[in-house]
Each structure stands twice: as C-alpha cells, then as structure tokens.
Amino acid sequence: MPHSFFHFLLISLFLYTNCIAHRYTFTVKEVPYNKLCSTKKILTVNGQFPGPVLKVYKGDTIYVNVRNRASENITMHWHGVEQPRNPWSDGPEYITQCPIRPGSDFMYEVIFSIEDTTVWWHAHSSWTRATVHGLIFVYPQSGTPLPFSKPDHEVPLVFGEWWKEDVREVVEQFTRTGGDPNVSDALTINGHPGFLYPCSISADTFDLTVEKGKTYRIRMVNAAMNLILFFSIAKHSLTVVAADGHYTKPLNASYITISPGQTLDALLHADQNPNHTYYMAARAYHSNPVIRFNNSTTIGILRYISSSNATTSSYPNLPNYNDTSAAFGFFTSIKSLYSGKVSVKISRRIISTVSINLLTCPNNSCQGPNGSRLLASMNNISFVTPSHVDILRAYYLHIKGVYGTRFPAFPPVVFNFTGEDQPLFLLTPRLATEVKLIKYGEAVEMVIQGTSLGGGGIDHPMHLHGFSFYIVGFGFGNFNVSQDLSSSYNLKDPPYRNTATVPRNGWIAIRFIAKNPGVWFMHCHFERHLTWGMNVVFIVKNGRGLNQQMLPPPPDLPPCY
C-alpha cells in the first residue's frame, strides 16, 4: 500500500509540474523617457521600453493579466502565436475584442502550440505598439534537442522607431488631414538610437559585450512601425536558424532583411580580433523614394571582453536603401528546415490586390495628393474597423449589421496592376467592413498582388493572425493565374512564416490549412497602411468535432459600449 501511494504521489507531482500555467502581470502606464535631447511620456509595460521578455516552452499555456493604468485604450496581441481555437485572446481592437479601457484589467490566455522559436507580443490598439512591445523566447520541451548546436548565450534585439512628438499626435494629425504621417526621428536598437543621433553618444547606444570563441543566439524582431530594415554587424556573419517562430535551414548571411512584424533567430560566432570594436547598424530598405521615409541609421556596438581600450573600429557594409535585389534575395533564401510539409492540392484560391488609394475631399481640402485623402485597400475595399462592438463577438452572438461577408475572392476590376498611368477611377476604393468566410479544413492558397496605384506602389509586409503559412511563390509584375506555376513555386521547402513581404509591383502566394476556427485578422504591418484600411478578416467556421470548434469566451472579456 505505501508503495502504491508513493507512485501515486510521484505521478501527481509530475502532472502538476508539467501542467502548471505561468502567470504574468503587464501594467500599462505612462513613463517619462529622454531621447534625442527631449523628454516625453510614453506608454510602457511595467515601465520598460522595450517591454519584458517572456520565456515559455513549446506547448505551454500562459496567463497574462493586462492592467491598463494609462489614459488611453489598449489591447495586446501575441504575434506569431496561433492561439488554437482561442481568438478571444488574440487582441486586435474591435476585431476580436473591445479595448481594455483605462482603469480596467483583462486576463489573456495565451496558448502556445506549434511555435518553436522566437515570437513577440505588442499592443494592437491604434499606434500604441510603437512603445508597447517585447519578445517571447520559446524553448523546446524537455528532452527535445535543438536542430543546431546549443549557443552559449542569448541576446534579445528589438528594432524600433522613435518620434520626438507624442505618437498620439502623429496619428491624430494624419488621420484628420488625410495626408501621410510624419516620419520618425530615429531608429532604435533595444530602445537606443545610437551615437549618430544628437544626445545619444554613450548612454543611449546599445552595447553588446561578447567573449572570444563563444556563440550567441540573437533573437530579433522588427518592431518598427513603417520600415523594412537591413541589419549587419561589421566583420561578423550571421547564421539564420529560424524565422517567425519556426526553424529554417541554416543560412549564412553578411546582412539580414527584416520587415515589421517579422522575427529571426541568428547565431553570432564571436570569432574576430578581440582587440577591436565592431559596429552594428540598421537602416531602412525603401523601394519608392517618392514616398517619404526615415533614411537615418541606428548604430550599436559589439565589443569583446578584452577590447575595453581598443582603438580600431569597423563599420558594417549595408546594401543601399533601394537595393531590391538585396532585400528579396535575403527573403527568398530562407527555406523551411523540413521538406514535404506544404499542401500540394488546394481547395480554395483567393487573389487579392493591395493598393494605396485616394478619396476625394470637399474643395480638395485634405493633405494627400491633389487635395485628397490617402487610403489603402485589399481588392479595392478599404476596411472600416467597427467602433462599438468587435467582429468576433458579433459573429459568436449573431449580432447583425456589424460586418458583411462579401469580400471578393478575385479583384473586382481586372487591369494591368503594375502598369503606369492608371485610370483615375481605380484610385477610389469602396469603404466597407467585409469579411471572408472559410470552411474548416480548407486548403487555402492566397495570392497577394501589389499594384502601382497611389504613387507607383510600395512593398507590403502582410501578417495573418491565427496561422503560419508557406510562402510558395513570389514574383515581380502581374501574377498570371493561367501559367504553369511549377517553375515559379517552391512546394518542397518554402519558408513557414506569419508575415510575408509583397514586393513593390509584384506578388506573393501563400498556403495554409484552415484548421483554426475563429475570427482572424490579416493586415499590412506598415502601421499607416493598417490605419488606412489595408486589412481583411477571415472567419474560419467550426468543424464537426469538439476539438474543431472555437472555445467559449472568457468571463472577463472587456465590455463594448
């Protein structure tokens, strides 16, 4: 009898320790920060900028209590976490929840499933993610080896943008006037602009100290609001081993390209002369100089433990800001670690344009081109976000009048999408809240076609909530649905990501299996394009089995007004 009780006790202890749910508290509050010779209050989590790093194991469920002690609404999104059957905790404001209002709390249940490596979290209400964001380190379950040699240390690396003015004022101005938002005043590495900017010589430059012969796993995210970035470290190559939470084939690179929303894991081998210091740098990739952008450079320092008195410094070589071949050469070099996982047969194809648009203003009174208002669209629909009830709640409770279900599966007007001198009528989109219904289990291919509307086009980093997808195709010009795709598609080992960059006047093709029931947002991760309406919502219907249906809503879901 005592022997059986002892075994029962051991089994109970094992189950408890392996099923324990980790709990965190995120207190959102305003804190003064001084950068670029001026001080302003910014939104933070727990007073930190960037925010705290969460550390989890594959398959964990964590609970994060978000306490809004700021003066504006907030929501949180767990970017790259698929949240199986649980859109209630996905976070986008008025898509899957109403906001957490000042003085209120909400407990997010964050369910990890297939994620293997680095993902991240950020606010998803207006432009609050500018300073409210942080990394999530995912580790393999006990006994599961890494597909690469275990590094000696880990380094979080967060790229961002900094405005001298209050970001709320930036948003208010460009949404009121209809023009382009003011560009940021600086780029940052882990919140530091670097010594090339005023008042940033020492304390506000990121400094990484390494030891000769050691290997460092850099877990990085591009948290910038509106910029694709090049990044490099002088004299050091990086070996990319993961992207957007999933392992990749090892890729040796002298520079990386990373779009807003994307994460990368890269191994840095400290194998250079330890008596020198080495600069790291990030600056924008930008394919259309007609559109204003921040063309500055943020600098960090890599120094060896023995190089405190080093007098020789090296700068990295970055591609030119408009080097499209360099940017997409990197993107297309990333391959999934595993082969043969992508669905060869599809049951549904959706083709959507992504465009910059214009809306005529009375008396040409707006500050966009020719006195018009700048908008953005998918399939010529500029998405209008609801303002009183979220789409998920409306879907679950069968509330009518919140959204329509007529998002087209094909562009409503076919034209030379990437041609010059487009007809003016194509510039005006339809303003609507349209979603796309998808049956559970469908094998979906989505082709996203960039257009030259609204100033010659620009790249678009497109992010899908609730899923990772295979990027099976990519090209410049117009997608040709009638051509043999075997030559331009990679169905063997395409990258498995949650954010993919549509090239300027080009296209990408992605595939995923719709096995996550719920309401899921897709949008451009350039924040200005999201604000202008380059968004759509997918509603994946419930399947037949109990594990193919949405979970019920949590009891403390923020109320709608």
Side-chain angles (χ1 to χ4, degrees):
M1 182 72 176
H3 184 74
S4 299
F5 177 76
F6 178 71
H7 276 83
F8 173 77
L9 186 64
L10 284 178
I11 292 171
S12 299
L13 182 62
F14 173 81
L15 291 174
Y16 173 78
T17 55
N18 281 273
C19 296
I20 190 170
H22 300 282
R23 296 178 180 270
Y24 300 89
T25 298
F26 276 12
T27 300
V28 179
K29 58 183 179 180
E30 294 179 339
V31 174
Y33 268 74
N34 184 285
K35 294 188 186 298
L36 308 182
C37 315
S38 62
T39 299
K40 69 171 185 176
K41 286 188 175 181
I42 64 170
L43 278 183
T44 66
V45 163
N46 300 345
Q48 300 176 44
F49 170 68
V53 175
L54 301 181
K55 297 184 178 182
V56 304
Y57 288 91
K58 184 174 181 177
D60 276 358
T61 294
I62 66 172
Y63 293 88
V64 184
N65 185 30
V66 175
R67 306 168 65 245
N68 187 358
R69 300 301 180 262
S71 59
E72 59 185 298
N73 295 337
I74 200 78
T75 65
M76 291 292 173
H77 171 52
W78 318 94
H79 187 121
V81 183
E82 293 201 4
Q83 293 275 39
R85 305 168 52 220
N86 186 33
W88 305 102
S89 286
D90 189 50
E93 185 180 40
Y94 289 113
I95 306 298
T96 61
Q97 68 168 97
C98 287
I100 308 168
R101 300 180 189 278
S104 301
D105 301 356
F106 176 51
M107 181 77 76
Y108 285 92
E109 180 185 30
V110 188
I111 303 173
F112 293 84
S113 54
I114 67 170
E115 302 81 21
D116 288 305
T117 64
T118 307
V119 289
W120 66 302
W121 58 267
H122 62 80
H124 215 304
S125 175
S126 185
W127 280 34
T128 50
R129 80 166 178 88
T131 54
V132 180
H133 54 251
L135 285 161
I136 304 174
F137 290 5
V138 182
Y139 297 97
Q141 294 176 342
S142 179
T144 303
L146 292 167
F148 48 85
S149 297
K150 185 178 179 180
D152 298 292
H153 302 281
E154 294 184 317
V155 179
L157 208 65
V158 179
F159 303 113
E161 290 183 83
W162 182 268
W163 279 262
K164 287 185 177 181
E165 61 185 314
D166 192 316
V167 173
R168 289 175 294 188
E169 296 175 2
V170 176
V171 177
E172 189 281 329
Q173 181 183 33
F174 88 90
T175 54
R176 172 174 49 81
T177 64
D180 223 2
N182 292 336
V183 299
S184 58
D185 296 291
L187 309 181
T188 59
I189 299 176
N190 284 351
H192 301 288
F195 60 76
L196 296 183
Y197 298 99
C199 303
S200 302
I201 292 176
S202 56
D204 230 351
T205 298
F206 173 65
D207 198 317
L208 173 63
T209 301
V210 300
E211 183 179 350
K212 174 79 173 183
K214 300 292 187 180
T215 298
Y216 296 78
R217 181 180 180 178
I218 300 178
R219 294 178 178 257
M220 69 180 78
V221 63
N222 183 354
M225 301 294 279
N226 294 298
L227 292 173
I228 302 170
L229 297 173
F230 289 125
F231 172 73
S232 181
I233 302 175
K235 306 291 185 179
H236 293 76
S237 64
L238 297 171
T239 303
V240 177
V241 293
D244 286 4
H246 303 287
Y247 295 124
T248 66
K249 290 181 172 63
L251 172 65
N252 292 323
S254 59
Y255 69 93
I256 63 99
T257 315
I258 186 167
S259 291
Q262 292 183 332
T263 59
L264 290 172
D265 291 52
L267 302 180
L268 166 69
H269 303 290
D271 56 5
Q272 296 299 303
N273 187 338
N275 296 316
H276 294 183
T277 57
Y278 304 88
Y279 294 129
M280 61 183 77
R283 73 178 179 210
Y285 160 68
H286 190 79
S287 60
N288 188 347
V290 173
I291 299 172
R292 294 185 304 132
F293 72 105
N294 183 335
N295 196 23
S296 63
T297 301
T298 179
I299 293 284
I301 301 173
L302 183 150
R303 68 177 85 246
Y304 286 75
I305 290 176
S306 59
S307 67
S308 58
N309 297 318
T311 57
T312 303
S313 301
S314 301
Y315 284 87
N317 293 317
L318 287 171
N320 292 330
Y321 77 88
N322 58 353
D323 192 338
T324 297
S325 61
F328 284 88
F330 178 85
F331 287 142
T332 55
S333 294
I334 294 177
K335 310 293 183 186
S336 176
L337 179 62
Y338 308 108
S339 299
K341 299 289 187 179
V342 64
S343 177
V344 175
K345 295 183 178 180
I346 61 172
S347 55
R348 171 178 290 212
R349 173 180 281 158
I350 300 169
I351 300 178
S352 176
T353 55
V354 283
S355 303
I356 304 300
N357 301 94
L358 299 175
L359 188 67
T360 301
C361 293
N363 302 316
N364 297 327
S365 56
C366 294
Q367 293 183 7
N370 302 315
S372 60
R373 172 175 292 276
L374 283 160
L375 293 177
S377 68
M378 297 182 67
N379 268 350
N380 206 43
I381 296 174
S382 185
F383 187 85
V384 178
T385 302
S387 57
H388 298 292
V389 63
D390 57 274
I391 291 175
L392 174 57
R393 193 179 318 229
Y395 171 66
Y396 189 79
L397 298 176
H398 307 287
I399 300 173
K400 296 183 178 180
V402 177
Y403 63 88
T405 58
R406 295 185 298 168
F407 183 83
F410 197 80
V413 178
V414 177
F415 59 100
N416 180 6
F417 300 120
T418 58
E420 298 180 0
D421 300 323
Q422 302 285 13
L424 290 178
F425 76 90
L426 294 172
L427 284 170
T428 304
R430 180 164 73 93
L431 277 64
T433 309
E434 300 289 353
V435 309
K436 190 67 180 176
L437 299 176
I438 298 177
K439 294 180 181 178
Y440 183 91
E442 282 197 294
V444 179
E445 176 177 294
M446 185 172 187
V447 177
I448 308 175
Q449 172 71 62
T451 78
S452 58
L453 295 174
I458 192 67
D459 310 277
H460 301 289
M462 301 301 296
H463 171 52
L464 176 60
H465 292 220
F467 295 90
S468 291
F469 48 74
Y470 289 100
I471 308 172
V472 297
F474 151 88
F476 294 98
N478 296 330
F479 176 78
N480 187 345
V481 70
S482 63
Q483 73 179 24
D484 180 10
L485 298 173
S486 60
S487 62
S488 58
Y489 271 22
N490 174 11
L491 299 180
K492 178 185 176 183
D493 57 357
Y496 193 44
R497 309 199 69 165
N498 59 62
T499 305
T501 307
V502 182
R504 177 189 178 191
N505 294 335
W507 57 272
I508 60 169
I510 65 174
R511 289 187 180 181
F512 62 95
I513 306 296
K515 288 188 176 180
N516 194 6
V519 171
W520 306 109
F521 201 27
M522 186 180 207
H523 60 89
C524 183
H525 227 279
F526 283 158
E527 210 68 16
R528 67 186 190 278
H529 293 176
L530 187 158
T531 303
W532 289 338
M534 191 175 287
N535 322 314
V536 69
V537 168
F538 292 118
I539 296 182
V540 179
K541 297 181 178 180
N542 284 335
R544 294 183 178 180
L546 288 178
N547 65 344
Q548 299 176 351
Q549 299 181 18
M550 272 199 320
L551 296 173
D556 62 337
L557 198 65
C560 299
Y561 296 96

